[in-house]
Amino acid sequence: MTNKYRLLLFDLDDTLVDYQETEDEALKKTYEKYFRNYTECNKFLDKFKQINLNLWDKYRSNQLSLDDLRQNRFSEVITYFHANVSVSSVIKDYETSLYSLACLFSDVRETLKYLKLKYQICLVTNGIAKIQKKKLSRLKIKSFFDYVVISGKVGHKKPGVEFFEYVLNLTKVPHSEALMIGDSLEHDFIGARKARIDFCWVNRKNLIRLEEYPRPEYEIHNLSELKKLLSISHSL
């Protein structure tokens, strides 16, 4: 009996870290310090998320650098609300909050501890390297990973096939023995599929899969289900 997989690739935000909760708390803190005199909190949150999403799309399609994204998302918000605040101060405080307020989903630590004994584990994440590294340090989960690959550090990003090829070259594991585990069909699944890597969709919110996406090899609703899923894959 052989194990089908030797390498597990984990996404970070919204797979291991409750990013939505973290981002909301960081934005509320930023609003209270810098924007409360210029608009209502809900209007600030909605506008930031709209701008931020648009800029991340441009970054992933190579229309924008990561540094420009970090600068523009707040400079655009400041301009929109006519706020007389320092862009650099807002960026610094917000990014500090993104790692200082980060929290893991409750099923993460126990699952990673179990899997660490049986597999090579690699963290694969888009994002700002400084924030992601400090997030890992604060949450004390870096020791679970044999490799940490951050798009802002290596020059490739999900869902680009180059990102996943970089990871496979780094880990010296063939695509057939790797499993990508993540929450995003758009970024994690499509990228893994291009690189011929099997995918496990962590669908914590019980979302309906859109028809534009093919069916992933696996689907789970919490990370604890990985133990059973991977034990079954041993016999495949």
Side-chain angles (χ1 to χ4, degrees):
M1 186 180 294
T2 58
N3 188 355
K4 185 175 182 181
Y5 303 112
R6 287 198 290 130
L7 174 67
L8 305 181
L9 310 177
F10 278 94
D11 171 56
L12 180 61
D13 292 325
D14 288 324
T15 299
L16 305 180
V17 170
D18 189 344
Y19 185 76
Q20 293 304 312
E21 177 69 20
T22 302
E23 182 187 58
D24 283 347
E25 291 303 311
L27 285 173
K28 288 174 184 176
K29 189 173 181 180
T30 302
Y31 168 79
E32 286 297 326
K33 184 170 183 178
Y34 293 101
F35 293 93
R36 63 178 304 171
N37 293 328
Y38 300 99
T39 187
E40 297 172 6
C41 186
N42 286 341
K43 290 182 179 179
F44 167 76
L45 295 176
D46 289 345
K47 177 53 64 174
F48 174 87
K49 290 180 180 183
Q50 175 191 342
I51 290 171
N52 192 45
L53 183 63
N54 179 54
L55 292 176
W56 273 105
D57 285 344
K58 288 183 177 180
Y59 167 70
R60 294 187 185 102
S61 59
N62 298 312
Q63 301 177 55
L64 191 73
S65 72
L66 198 55
D67 283 341
D68 284 341
L69 182 153
R70 295 167 64 194
Q71 175 78 22
N72 291 356
R73 59 186 176 185
F74 278 110
S75 62
E76 290 186 25
V77 169
I78 289 169
T79 298
Y80 182 84
F81 290 115
H82 306 287
N84 184 22
V85 298
S86 164
V87 177
S88 59
S89 296
V90 174
I91 293 171
K92 180 180 178 181
D93 284 356
Y94 172 70
E95 293 185 353
T96 297
S97 294
L98 278 182
Y99 64 79
S100 65
L101 297 174
C103 57
L104 293 173
F105 289 110
S106 61
D107 52 15
V108 170
R109 200 174 298 278
E110 180 183 351
T111 302
L112 290 179
K113 184 177 180 180
Y114 170 83
L115 296 175
K116 174 69 174 173
L117 301 175
K118 301 174 181 294
Y119 302 92
Q120 289 188 67
I121 304 181
C122 180
L123 184 74
V124 290
T125 175
N126 285 345
I128 302 163
K130 180 182 74 171
I131 294 175
Q132 302 300 60
K133 286 179 179 180
K134 289 186 176 182
K135 199 181 293 182
L136 292 175
S137 176
R138 179 188 171 275
L139 295 170
K140 295 181 170 56
I141 59 171
K142 187 177 180 180
S143 61
F144 290 119
F145 303 105
D146 299 287
Y147 306 92
V148 174
V149 180
I150 304 173
S151 66
K153 186 75 172 178
V154 304
H156 303 296
K157 62 184 82 73
K158 298 181 289 181
V161 67
E162 299 86 358
F163 181 92
F164 291 92
E165 289 175 344
Y166 176 94
V167 173
L168 294 177
N169 288 332
L170 175 69
T171 59
K172 306 281 193 292
V173 174
H175 66 86
S176 58
E177 296 179 12
L179 177 67
M180 176 68 208
I181 300 154
D183 71 289
S184 173
L185 294 177
E186 180 181 0
H187 305 124
D188 299 322
F189 180 31
I190 295 304
R193 190 176 181 84
K194 289 177 182 176
R196 297 182 294 161
I197 296 172
D198 285 354
F199 180 69
C200 177
W201 184 22
V202 185
N203 185 10
R204 294 184 182 275
K205 298 180 180 179
N206 295 313
L207 301 175
I208 303 297
R209 176 176 56 88
L210 299 178
E211 291 184 1
E212 65 189 271
Y213 298 108
R215 185 180 299 277
E217 285 76 17
Y218 312 102
E219 179 179 343
I220 59 178
H221 299 285
N222 64 74
L223 220 59
S224 301
E225 294 177 50
L226 268 178
K227 299 176 187 178
K228 182 178 180 181
L229 184 156
L230 290 169
S231 68
I232 292 173
S233 79
H234 281 225
S235 59
L236 296 179

